[in-house]
Amino acid sequence: MKSFFEKNASLLLETPELAEAFQSIMSFESFPKHAILHEAGKICNHMFIINSGIARVFYYKEDKDITVHFSAEQESITTIDSFIQRKKSKYNIEALEDLEVLKISHSDLENLFDKNPKFDRFGRLFLQQIYMDLVERIDDLQLHSAQERYDILLQKKPYLFQRVASKHIASFLSITPETLSRIRGK
């Protein structure tokens, strides 16, 4: 499955000034495995584009951590509600592997879009993709059985099953680790 950036590479290539502008607001950063990139209770001021590694978005409920999203190479990760609305987030972002990312601040991104209305199209396409991903996630949780959710994730992101702890995958699928083990054993 292609990432948003791979699908829209032509937009960046066709608009060199957009690619150049994005490069000017990105900074390279690395995080060790288990590092927290964003902590719940704070406003999320950054989005990250992952060069290498995997990260997850999660929250705590009744002393359990619940995974809601995974991102890997060439994908972005942020707590989108906080990033857009400028409110405190209930989510955390954790590096599941050593991460190398391109980091973009909210204020730099807003300034970029304000400077040149042509860049708004890229922002709109990016937000549309996030919206579609959320709709698919809700559909998966509400309309599919545990087995179907597992099959969908295996089809979309097979690498997760080799690189991410089973407890995080089970949490993401809204099933117990025991149920995940039974499904995998079939």
Side-chain angles (χ1 to χ4, degrees):
M1 186 169 144
K2 286 186 175 181
S3 73
F4 169 81
F5 299 102
E6 291 168 320
K7 287 185 218 170
N8 291 287
S10 63
L11 182 60
L12 289 169
L13 293 173
E14 291 167 9
T15 318
E17 62 187 311
L18 175 62
E20 196 173 296
F22 265 98
Q23 281 185 323
S24 73
I25 65 169
M26 293 180 184
S27 61
F28 178 83
E29 201 161 328
S30 45
F31 297 91
K33 183 176 183 175
H34 302 302
I36 299 296
L37 284 70
H38 171 75
E39 191 176 336
K42 297 180 179 179
I43 295 173
C44 186
N45 291 313
H46 297 94
M47 68 175 297
F48 306 91
I49 300 168
I50 299 175
N51 287 334
S52 67
I54 294 181
R56 72 178 178 128
V57 176
F58 72 100
Y59 67 95
Y60 289 103
K61 182 178 181 181
E62 300 168 6
D63 294 329
K64 286 184 178 178
D65 84 39
I66 312 292
T67 300
V68 296
H69 182 73
F70 294 107
S71 288
E73 290 82 6
Q74 305 309 310
E75 295 176 334
S76 65
I77 194 162
T78 190
T79 58
I80 195 68
D81 59 331
S82 177
F83 188 77
I84 291 173
Q85 295 178 332
R86 314 307 307 139
K87 65 177 189 175
K88 291 180 182 177
S89 175
K90 58 185 161 268
Y91 300 104
N92 301 281
I93 302 174
E94 178 189 22
L96 295 178
E97 297 177 343
D98 290 344
L99 280 182
E100 292 184 352
V101 300
L102 295 172
K103 181 176 167 181
I104 303 171
S105 78
H106 179 272
S107 58
D108 286 345
L109 191 61
E110 284 295 314
N111 288 338
L112 180 68
F113 290 152
D114 286 345
K115 274 188 211 172
N116 192 331
K118 287 194 294 187
F119 298 165
D120 273 345
R121 179 169 182 253
F122 188 81
R124 184 175 43 80
L125 290 171
F126 183 73
L127 288 175
Q128 284 175 349
Q129 184 61 52
I130 290 172
Y131 174 77
M132 292 309 302
D133 291 346
L134 287 171
V135 168
E136 284 181 16
R137 173 85 173 123
I138 292 166
D139 285 351
D140 288 348
L141 290 171
Q142 293 185 334
L143 303 175
H144 299 289
S145 69
Q147 178 70 54
E148 290 168 333
R149 291 193 302 274
Y150 173 85
D151 292 340
I152 290 167
L153 184 60
L154 186 59
Q155 177 190 5
K156 285 183 181 177
K157 296 186 174 197
Y159 56 86
L160 290 178
F161 294 87
Q162 283 77 48
R163 297 170 64 186
V164 173
S166 293
K167 67 181 181 179
H168 297 315
I169 292 173
S171 170
F172 178 77
L173 294 172
S174 292
I175 59 178
T176 65
E178 296 78 20
T179 301
L180 177 60
S181 183
R182 279 193 300 276
I183 291 171
R184 287 177 119 170
K186 289 182 180 179

